[in-house]
Amino acid sequence: MLLRIPLSIPVSRRFEVYLEVTGKSGADSLTNYVKVSHMTLSKSLGYSANNKVNYGSFETSVFYSGTNTYPISAFWTSGAGTGGVTAEQIGDISGSALKVTGEGVENVSYISQTIYRASQAEINNYIANTSSIYNMTKHYRVSARGFSESAMPSSGTFGLRVIVTFININETNGITNDTIDVYIPFNKHIDTWQYVSETIEIGGSFVSEIEIRCEFNNQVGTAYFDDVSFSYLGTD
């Protein structure tokens, strides 16, 4: 379980963050306990809610919904040249994480999820009447944890990538598809778990698709990704 608590802290003040757990009265501390890891304090623009990523924690190999079960591949897709979509148990306290195996130099290796795609009816409506869509600018926070002992610092990528596709209409070029590509790297010199977070701005045009990638391009060995999140900053 991933828990986020928003805080408002004056810049000029010192502060301390701690976690306190109160157990049930009479509980045996040898068999009843709580494990906590990866406590992180990060700066953001405000409260974040409504994670758009499906199955971003990778805690089990199968997602359950009522009586139905869904494999990871129902939500995440392998990029060209990448092996299958798998999650593995990484240590006792880290739980399961998404595994991406590097396919070598000059080869792409990533796992992706399309977290938003406009319907054809919405696209047609926008093309027919562009004033029917109010494109208010919004901010989103993209975050994840990552780990690799084999990332090559001098080449390749190891991080998150967000690709936002827009539909623009103008008198000169007509209807065009334009993209914004945001890459959020992990530090390739560090061989322990890391956390990255970035705020991106989306607005001003009709958004037709948003894709998020866990990327390990032009690399050898293995990278792991966990707690992938794409959350709106604010309240709708």
Side-chain angles (χ1 to χ4, degrees):
M1 179 179 69
L2 178 64
L3 176 66
R4 293 192 180 94
I5 303 175
L7 302 171
S8 179
I9 302 171
V11 175
S12 60
R13 302 289 181 86
R14 298 184 65 181
F15 51 89
E16 181 180 63
V17 178
Y18 65 93
L19 179 70
E20 180 178 308
V21 178
T22 302
K24 184 178 179 181
S25 178
D28 182 0
S29 61
L30 296 178
T31 57
N32 296 274
Y33 54 87
V34 175
K35 291 184 177 181
V36 179
S37 66
H38 309 298
M39 290 185 64
T40 304
L41 183 67
S42 61
K43 183 179 179 181
S44 184
L45 293 179
Y47 176 76
S48 66
N50 303 321
N51 183 11
K52 306 299 183 183
V53 178
N54 285 312
Y55 195 42
S57 65
F58 312 106
E59 286 309 312
T60 58
S61 60
V62 177
F63 175 79
Y64 296 90
S65 178
T67 59
N68 298 318
T69 59
Y70 302 93
I72 300 174
S73 56
F75 303 98
W76 294 92
T77 304
S78 299
T82 309
V85 184
T86 60
E88 289 188 359
Q89 188 78 16
I90 309 299
D92 181 51
I93 201 168
S94 297
S96 296
L98 177 70
K99 178 182 179 181
V100 181
T101 302
E103 299 295 326
V105 177
E106 299 184 358
N107 290 293
V108 299
S109 303
Y110 66 85
I111 306 295
S112 68
Q113 182 178 132
T114 299
I115 58 178
Y116 173 76
R117 178 179 287 131
S119 68
Q120 190 59 52
E122 291 172 325
I123 295 173
N124 293 341
N125 183 52
Y126 172 70
I127 293 174
N129 182 15
T130 57
S131 63
S132 65
I133 305 295
Y134 177 63
N135 297 302
M136 181 178 67
T137 298
K138 293 185 177 182
H139 294 88
Y140 294 85
R141 183 173 65 196
V142 186
S143 62
R145 295 190 299 116
F147 165 73
S148 178
E149 294 180 319
S150 58
M152 295 184 292
S154 60
S155 66
T157 60
F158 170 37
L160 294 179
R161 188 178 298 275
V162 179
I163 302 173
V164 183
T165 303
F166 300 91
I167 294 179
N168 287 315
I169 301 177
N170 59 66
E171 294 181 358
T172 303
N173 300 318
I175 301 173
T176 61
N177 289 305
D178 303 314
T179 61
I180 291 177
D181 188 316
V182 180
Y183 175 60
I184 310 163
F186 288 106
N187 189 330
K188 292 184 286 186
H189 295 273
I190 297 176
D191 60 359
T192 59
W193 279 103
Q194 305 176 54
Y195 173 81
V196 293
S197 178
E198 184 66 77
T199 300
I200 64 174
E201 182 179 289
I202 297 177
S205 300
F206 180 83
V207 178
S208 60
E209 185 174 289
I210 302 175
E211 177 188 2
I212 189 167
R213 295 181 179 181
C214 300
E215 193 170 281
F216 198 54
N217 288 343
N218 302 310
Q219 298 282 2
V220 296
T222 302
Y224 296 93
F225 298 81
D226 205 358
D227 297 326
V228 182
S229 176
F230 184 97
S231 301
Y232 172 56
L233 293 174
T235 56
D236 282 319

